[in-house]
Amino acid sequence: MAGVLLLHATGALAQSSTSWRVAFGRDEAALRDIARCCKPVDASPVTLRGTGAAMLVEHQRLRGARLQRLEFSVARTGNFVYDSGLEKVARPEGDRFTRLDARYEYRRYLFSNVIVRGLDIGAGLSLGGSRSRLTREMDDSLATTKTHLDVLIAFVTAARFRRSRFGVEVNWGNGGRISRIGERHSAAADHPSQWGGGWLADLSIGADVSVSERVSLTARFLSTGDTVLSSHSQHTSDRNSLMVGVTYAK
């Protein structure tokens, strides 16, 4: 196996292209408080789950073995329920979770035509930022809002397979984050904020089918899990998005 990889390490990845991708789909978010320090009065085994819509815009430049990707995504989630695993309790309709993400990734394909023709393996680094906001209503006059501003960095490994008009790409990223957390209560005069940190893991699976020389139909599944740890605010979140769209390449 090592000999095969070394044999193809300098294989030709001569193709060059520039592409734009736009996709829309369904987003599902799951949030849970995991506070375990001091007096964890907010800790709960109950998960807050919601569904909504997501949009992805992506610009990609491929030059030989080097790939640069700029990605912007937005998701808005509602229809929340408290899920204990045994039962689900509906939350007020005003509960909302929104998230904006911007990522830049530099990747280099280290091995081409691994084992079979068309299978390439690469690695790279992803940098980015995100802003998320969770609003929960207590009643008609009381609401709380928690906002996260995050800086993200992750190492990425990727595999792609291309044969004729069909292609599949799998990306896995693992890294860390620094968060500034702000909280606002409609009945409180002060709005405290704090810093925290944590880690994240991403899994992305995409497939595309060419319908012409420049246009492809695209489907993408993205699963993201992260954890944030700070004083009296420790929680996890999981997001799953399934989107379909169009890619234009030249």
Side-chain angles (χ1 to χ4, degrees):
M1 178 64 180
V4 172
L5 293 177
L6 290 174
L7 180 65
H8 290 86
T10 57
L13 277 168
Q15 67 268 33
S16 297
S17 66
T18 300
S19 65
W20 285 92
R21 174 178 297 161
V22 179
F24 301 88
R26 182 178 185 272
D27 185 82
E28 180 181 281
L31 310 151
R32 187 168 71 88
D33 196 312
I34 58 168
R36 289 293 183 269
C37 68
C38 306
K39 297 180 180 180
V41 295
D42 293 326
S44 173
V46 176
T47 300
L48 183 64
R49 296 187 185 276
T51 58
M55 181 185 74
L56 168 73
V57 178
E58 179 184 289
H59 178 57
Q60 181 174 287
R61 293 171 59 89
L62 177 65
R63 294 293 182 270
R66 296 182 297 276
L67 180 143
Q68 297 182 72
R69 172 181 292 167
L70 183 62
E71 179 180 297
F72 173 79
S73 64
V74 56
R76 181 177 174 85
T77 307
N79 304 312
F80 278 101
V81 298
Y82 280 137
D83 185 357
S84 68
L86 299 176
E87 63 176 340
K88 296 180 180 180
V89 179
R91 288 287 302 157
E93 293 183 0
D95 283 14
R96 287 288 183 270
F97 178 71
T98 58
R99 184 181 178 103
L100 302 174
D101 277 287
R103 304 278 185 99
Y104 168 78
E105 179 186 338
Y106 176 83
R107 182 192 311 169
R108 186 177 180 88
Y109 284 99
L110 306 174
F111 309 107
S112 63
N113 298 321
V114 179
I115 303 178
V116 296
R117 182 172 60 86
L119 178 60
D120 306 322
I121 297 176
L125 183 68
S126 176
L127 303 172
S130 71
R131 181 184 186 275
S132 62
R133 183 175 182 177
L134 173 64
T135 299
R136 290 187 287 179
E137 289 188 348
M138 307 306 165
D139 56 33
D140 293 338
S141 60
L142 295 177
T144 64
T145 300
K146 182 173 287 189
T147 302
H148 281 241
L149 296 175
D150 303 315
V151 176
L152 314 170
I153 181 171
F155 293 99
V156 179
T157 56
R160 67 179 183 184
F161 176 77
R162 186 78 192 182
R163 184 66 60 85
S164 184
R165 297 171 57 189
F166 178 73
V168 177
E169 184 177 279
V170 179
N171 302 328
W172 181 78
N174 202 325
R177 63 192 298 170
I178 298 175
S179 304
R180 181 166 179 80
I181 307 165
E183 192 163 1
R184 180 185 297 265
H185 194 289
S186 59
D190 60 332
H191 308 300
S193 62
Q194 55 190 326
W195 290 89
W199 55 91
L200 73 156
D202 294 334
L203 173 64
S204 174
I205 304 174
D208 63 88
V209 179
S210 300
V211 295
S212 71
E213 183 179 352
R214 297 185 181 276
V215 178
S216 300
L217 299 180
T218 300
R220 182 181 180 189
F221 172 75
L222 173 64
S223 179
T224 298
D226 56 47
T227 299
V228 175
L229 306 176
S230 65
S231 177
H232 304 293
S233 179
Q234 305 177 29
H235 66 271
T236 64
S237 69
D238 294 285
R239 289 180 56 226
N240 294 308
S241 300
L242 180 61
M243 291 177 280
V244 295
V246 176
T247 301
Y248 175 81
K250 62 179 182 178

